[in-house]
Amino acid sequence: MAQNSIKKSPISALGYGFIPANQIPKGKNEYYLRNIQNRSGITYRQLTAYEIEVLVRNRNTSDNWNHLLVSDAFNAELVKNCKFYGLVRIGKLEPFCLEFSDLKVPVGLYNSTIISCDLGDNVSIDNVNYLSHYILGNEVIINNVNELVTTNHAKFGVGIIKKEEAEAVRIWMEICNENGGRSVLPFNGMLPGDAFLWSKYRDDASLLQKFKEFTEARFNDLRGYYGKVGDRTVIKNTAIIKDVWIGEDAYIKGANKLKNLTINSGSEGTTQIGEGCEIVNGIIGFGCRIFYGVKAVRFIMASHSQLKYGARLINSYLGNNATISCCEVLNTLIFPAHEQHHNNSFLCAALVMGQSNIAAGATIGSNHNSRAADGEIVAGRGFWPGLCVSLKHNSKFASFTILAKGDYPAELNIPLPFSLVSNDFSKDELVIIPCYWLMYNMYALARNSWKYVDRDKRIERIQHIEYNYLAPDTINEIFTALQILEEAVGRNFLQKNNPAIKLSKEQCIEEGKILLNSPTTNWSSFEVNVSSFENSKRNTKLLKTDKAYQLYKELVHYYFTTTMLELVQETKFNNWNDLIKKYTSKAKRNEWLNIGGQLMPLDIVNTLKEKIKKGTIKSWDAVHDFYSQQSTLYKTQKVHHAIGAILELNQISAKQLDETFFNKLLTEAVNTKTWMSQSIYQTRSKDYNSDFRKMVYDTQEEMEQVMGKLEDNGFIQQEIEDLKVFKQKINKLRKQFRLNK
């Protein structure tokens, strides 16, 4: 029995009947959507008898020469060995060459089959075996393409369905969870904040329904839209392009298959797709780069992100200014500024909140370690699992957690920001150094913030992405960490000689505060252990707790001072008391959320959700307007948060936050900035002073030629200059407020 269904129809039907007759509105024809899409402004006419004669002489054929329409500047001599079917409209063809990179081709149509298409001015089409139902812009180059076709039900990667289609054909993007429990509908223009809100609040059915309605309203279910290729786009040596919308100035070369995609490209960033790529069911943002054997299915790449060297991205959202090379990412939502390289790293069923780096051999995949549904990973900003790290789902990590090489045997919940987590196999215990980044890796921490600001290539910055490692989210995590350290220290001390004693959390915290704030505490006399960090019965040990505790508090002070310094520079206050009085009324260390890289107070997020459900916010554009509005309010909201944080940390009232107290904080901030700058230099200098680093070089000159000179390091030089400027700003502020040193 025949398996393939081969349908026969008259040759005269080729190029016609693109839209089913029952779906063409009364008084319209099958070209009504095509005519709306074609905005070239070209005035078409029918061929002259002489032009038809030239076309026939040049071995061209048409099912009906009356259906081949051209502009006044059409040159029939530039059309050779082509077959035309259906209504084909051609712009001007002039005797020029088009040159792009190392490709130089003549304007004209050559050796191609063209079915029901609109072609802009001075295009070059050569050896396109099947070009069907596309609208091409001006100066487009298409060379050596097997198939470039649009179907009447094309959706261009958007999660909608067309008239008379079954719900089963709708494309969902299954982010954050392998079982589809957090699925979202992809759409062109989807921001990381949209993906987060939609995937997070799964218990709010009315909110989810609104998101679906927003997406469907953004597009329509009419059949018959043509594919488009924007002005100056170049496509060469590619096998199959089907149902793909391509913007201006894109460059596609050597791809195997592109299907059901929107490829954004143009003035906001040109997009390139290279050799061996197979890309299906997705949205590609402005300025993206996809090269060398990439496989991507059911995905969104936000603007200026990259996939390279055989990377696989499936059922995932990749945020702006991110790069994935060589590895596999499944069912994951990644916020802006992410790095993942190396062939053997794997990331699955995760929410990664940006500024992250996944090292070689890292296996962050659902381990199927129970009979329950597959688990998830939630990682705050700055997540950095090291070489060959293996994690169990579910696990959760505070911001700027670094995991040392190792196979972690149980689920982890690490609430201490800036920590190093390691697996001590010899003692079979989990070891954590809180505030490790500040103690030993200041260069990497500071450079992390700097480099992602420098690499942010977005033109349209609807969401304000926070890259500073000190921000409301990390400060709130610091307060959580302070209490954890206080309780752990107090409990370990009080139970040292009487392990069975019953203690309340409050008792332990009070004792811990006394010990941690006392300069006479002998920290070598007892270990600090914690529970609930790992789903196991083995020991979890905290190291350098006293130093971490003081650093955490110093960071809160520094956050407050730098936030107020920014405020002073943007206001006209000349009196500290007047300034602080204006902002203390709303001061509060409130809860914040990371919404796709944009930090927002929790109550604001709840307001957004309610406005969506009540219909005050009626579209994705309105949601994006809300993001933009919040971006303008962020600095003021952060000031309120910083004041609330300093009052809470020091247990003082707003009246006590006077000139004397602030002046003291200014001095402390200079000291903090100074040791940070020194630590940045010292951290990097280890690479130049270590004998094990130097042993591969025969001379100092050889090392400097390979590594560059330490004193020439641009980032270090910038930090030295920043310290100088910071001191100048402090001195200026003191003069402005008439404060004495």
Side-chain angles (χ1 to χ4, degrees):
M1 181 178 177
Q3 299 299 308
N4 288 350
S5 176
I6 304 295
K7 299 178 182 179
K8 296 179 182 178
S9 59
I11 188 68
S12 59
L14 183 57
Y16 304 96
F18 187 58
I19 306 176
N22 66 332
Q23 294 192 21
I24 299 176
K26 187 177 181 179
K28 303 288 186 180
N29 59 29
E30 67 168 296
Y31 309 118
Y32 80 102
L33 291 176
R34 170 181 175 179
N35 292 334
I36 294 172
Q37 287 182 274
N38 188 338
R39 304 182 182 92
S40 67
I42 298 172
T43 301
Y44 299 102
R45 60 172 176 81
Q46 290 192 324
L47 295 166
T48 65
Y50 173 74
E51 287 170 331
I52 294 174
E53 180 183 343
V54 172
L55 291 170
V56 172
R57 187 181 70 225
N58 287 340
R59 301 182 304 282
N60 299 290
T61 64
S62 173
D63 66 315
N64 187 336
W65 290 113
N66 290 327
H67 292 170
L68 185 62
L69 305 181
V70 298
S71 74
D72 286 337
F74 172 76
N75 185 339
E77 294 288 354
L78 303 181
V79 181
K80 298 179 181 179
N81 198 29
C82 290
K83 301 174 185 177
F84 297 98
Y85 298 93
L87 177 64
V88 177
R89 301 186 291 204
I90 305 171
K92 68 171 67 171
L93 295 178
E94 299 174 303
F96 296 125
C97 283
L98 301 181
E99 186 172 356
F100 177 79
S101 186
D102 57 352
L103 180 67
K104 191 171 185 179
V105 293
V107 165
L109 315 178
Y110 308 99
N111 311 305
S112 301
T113 297
I114 301 173
I115 302 171
S116 194
C117 291
D118 290 345
L119 313 180
D121 291 337
N122 290 324
V123 301
S124 176
I125 299 174
D126 191 359
N127 197 29
V128 179
N129 294 334
Y130 193 80
L131 173 56
S132 174
H133 296 92
Y134 258 88
I135 299 172
L136 308 187
N138 301 325
E139 298 180 2
V140 167
I141 299 174
I142 305 178
N143 193 285
N144 295 329
V145 173
N146 288 346
E147 180 181 332
L148 181 57
V149 59
T150 304
T151 63
N152 70 6
H153 51 81
K155 305 164 194 71
F156 309 112
V158 177
I160 58 173
I161 55 176
K162 294 293 185 173
K163 284 186 176 181
E164 300 181 0
E165 282 191 319
E167 181 65 30
V169 306
R170 188 192 296 271
I171 298 296
W172 289 87
M173 189 168 62
E174 299 173 359
I175 58 176
C176 299
N177 186 286
E178 288 184 89
N179 292 317
R182 299 188 185 275
S183 296
V184 302
L185 294 177
F187 62 88
N188 191 24
M190 187 180 219
L191 298 177
D194 306 334
F196 173 78
L197 292 171
W198 200 338
S199 64
K200 174 63 177 174
Y201 297 105
R202 307 308 288 189
D203 55 345
D204 195 333
S206 58
L207 181 67
L208 301 184
Q209 180 59 32
K210 285 290 186 181
F211 288 151
K212 185 177 180 181
E213 291 172 5
F214 288 175
T215 303
E216 292 180 328
R218 195 177 179 92
F219 308 92
N220 65 52
D221 62 355
L222 299 175
R223 288 177 181 256
Y225 282 100
Y226 280 39
K228 295 190 75 172
V229 178
D231 296 346
R232 299 172 302 280
T233 283
V234 177
I235 305 172
K236 68 177 186 179
N237 305 324
T238 293
I240 298 171
I241 301 177
K242 185 175 183 179
D243 291 347
V244 179
W245 189 100
I246 307 171
E248 298 178 349
D249 302 296
Y251 183 29
I252 299 170
K253 58 175 180 175
N256 291 341
K257 183 176 184 178
L258 307 177
K259 180 181 178 183
N260 191 30
L261 303 170
T262 292
I263 302 174
N264 290 288
S265 183
S267 59
E268 295 182 54
T270 58
T271 293
Q272 298 184 14
I273 299 175
E275 294 81 354
C277 295
E278 295 165 8
I279 308 172
V280 179
N281 300 337
I283 311 289
I284 300 171
F286 289 96
C288 288
R289 299 287 184 269
I290 309 174
F291 289 123
Y292 310 127
V294 164
K295 317 297 181 188
V297 182
R298 296 194 183 215
F299 70 98
I300 288 182
M301 290 178 66
S303 67
H304 302 94
S305 55
Q306 300 185 66
L307 294 176
K308 300 186 293 187
Y309 311 127
R312 285 152 288 171
L313 183 72
I314 302 170
N315 270 312
S316 296
Y317 186 110
L318 180 63
N320 310 81
N321 305 295
T323 299
I324 294 178
S325 300
C326 311
C327 46
E328 185 171 8
V329 175
L330 311 175
N331 306 98
T332 293
L333 170 55
I334 300 174
F335 289 178
H338 173 83
E339 298 287 331
Q340 185 170 355
H341 306 276
H342 315 292
N343 190 47
N344 52 350
S345 64
F346 177 62
L347 178 63
C348 182
L351 168 62
V352 182
M353 296 188 179
Q355 293 168 264
S356 37
N357 196 320
I358 310 295
T363 304
I364 306 170
S366 186
N367 307 94
H368 305 281
N369 56 335
S370 74
R371 295 179 183 177
D374 297 335
E376 301 174 8
I377 293 282
V378 177
R381 291 194 292 137
F383 181 55
W384 194 343
L387 295 170
C388 300
V389 161
S390 178
L391 296 176
K392 294 285 188 187
H393 290 53
N394 296 339
S395 287
K396 188 174 183 179
F397 302 94
S399 300
F400 296 94
T401 298
I402 185 169
L403 293 144
K405 176 180 179 179
D407 183 0
Y408 293 84
E411 298 91 336
L412 297 173
N413 181 18
I414 309 299
L416 307 176
F418 309 108
S419 293
L420 170 67
V421 181
S422 60
N423 195 3
D424 189 335
F425 294 101
S426 62
K427 297 180 181 178
D428 190 27
E429 62 184 9
L430 189 70
V431 179
I432 301 172
I433 303 179
C435 240
Y436 168 86
W437 291 77
L438 280 298
M439 297 179 196
Y440 303 108
N441 208 15
M442 194 66 217
Y443 179 90
L445 182 62
R447 189 173 180 274
N448 184 291
S449 296
W450 168 80
K451 73 179 181 181
Y452 286 121
V453 172
D454 185 62
R455 295 176 184 178
D456 193 345
K457 306 302 182 186
R458 293 175 301 151
I459 302 299
E460 189 177 20
R461 303 191 178 194
I462 295 172
Q463 290 198 267
H464 171 78
I465 308 301
E466 178 60 87
Y467 295 117
N468 195 323
Y469 59 88
L470 291 181
D473 60 337
T474 52
I475 294 299
N476 284 349
E477 289 176 335
I478 284 174
F479 273 87
T480 299
L482 288 170
Q483 190 173 93
I484 289 172
L485 297 185
E486 290 164 353
E487 182 183 0
V489 167
R491 189 175 299 279
N492 281 265
F493 180 81
L494 294 172
Q495 290 182 339
K496 181 180 178 182
N497 298 318
N498 186 3
I501 188 174
K502 300 295 182 181
L503 299 168
S504 68
K505 180 178 180 179
E506 290 72 21
Q507 284 178 291
C508 297
I509 289 174
E510 287 305 312
E511 185 65 28
K513 284 182 179 178
I514 294 171
L515 293 167
L516 286 162
N517 288 300
S518 172
T520 61
T521 302
N522 182 8
W523 292 102
S524 62
S525 63
F526 66 93
E527 287 188 357
V528 179
N529 300 314
V530 292
S531 59
S532 302
F533 279 40
E534 184 180 57
N535 186 21
S536 73
K537 295 181 180 179
R538 67 175 182 162
N539 189 44
T540 299
K541 182 193 296 185
L542 301 184
L543 301 181
K544 302 186 182 297
T545 315
D546 57 326
K547 187 174 182 180
Y549 184 79
Q550 299 303 328
L551 277 174
Y552 277 142
K553 293 202 298 182
E554 187 173 345
L555 289 177
V556 176
H557 283 186
Y558 186 70
Y559 164 70
F560 167 78
T561 306
T562 53
T563 301
M564 299 309 294
L565 187 60
E566 290 178 10
L567 175 66
V568 169
Q569 291 175 316
E570 297 175 4
T571 60
K572 297 180 180 180
F573 284 94
N574 291 311
N575 181 282
W576 168 253
N577 292 327
D578 292 342
L579 174 66
I580 203 68
K581 188 183 297 182
K582 175 178 173 61
Y583 290 95
T584 49
S585 61
K586 294 183 179 180
K588 183 181 180 181
R589 189 183 68 80
N590 50 343
E591 188 174 348
W592 285 61
L593 293 178
N594 185 341
I595 309 297
Q598 179 176 1
L599 303 183
M600 288 189 202
L602 176 60
D603 59 342
I604 297 297
V605 177
N606 290 334
T607 298
L608 170 61
K609 289 158 54 181
E610 289 303 312
K611 286 185 175 182
I612 291 171
K613 289 190 290 185
K614 291 179 180 178
T616 307
I617 289 178
K618 300 179 180 180
S619 67
W620 282 119
D621 286 339
V623 173
H624 297 171
D625 289 342
F626 188 91
Y627 295 158
S628 295
Q629 181 186 17
Q630 289 304 308
S631 294
T632 63
L633 299 175
Y634 175 62
K635 287 186 178 180
T636 301
Q637 293 168 342
K638 191 166 74 167
V639 168
H640 294 147
H641 179 269
I643 296 173
I646 201 72
L647 296 178
E648 181 179 342
L649 181 70
N650 293 279
Q651 293 295 292
I652 59 176
S653 66
K655 289 184 178 180
Q656 292 173 287
L657 191 57
D658 55 16
E659 291 179 342
T660 301
F661 190 87
F662 181 58
N663 200 19
K664 179 183 176 183
L665 291 179
L666 292 177
T667 300
E668 183 181 325
V670 171
N671 294 335
T672 300
K673 180 69 173 176
T674 300
W675 75 251
M676 283 181 173
S677 183
Q678 292 170 347
S679 182
I680 288 168
Y681 180 86
Q682 291 166 0
T683 302
R684 185 63 175 136
S685 67
K686 292 177 184 177
D687 294 334
Y688 288 81
N689 298 327
S690 167
D691 289 338
F692 287 92
R693 291 279 188 174
K694 295 164 65 175
M695 66 184 178
V696 296
Y697 308 108
D698 293 336
T699 65
Q700 179 76 14
E701 289 74 19
E702 180 189 355
M703 182 181 73
E704 290 177 350
Q705 284 297 317
V706 174
M707 296 178 59
K709 293 182 179 180
L710 178 61
E711 56 268 25
D712 292 339
N713 183 293
F715 177 66
I716 290 177
Q717 294 303 316
Q718 179 180 311
E719 282 297 312
I720 293 173
E721 180 62 24
D722 286 349
L723 175 60
K724 181 180 177 181
V725 172
F726 186 78
K727 291 178 178 179
Q728 291 173 347
K729 289 179 179 179
I730 295 293
N731 291 333
K732 182 178 178 181
L733 186 149
R734 280 187 161 126
K735 291 180 180 179
Q736 184 176 340
F737 287 164
R738 299 179 181 87
L739 303 174
N740 297 320
K741 289 187 179 181

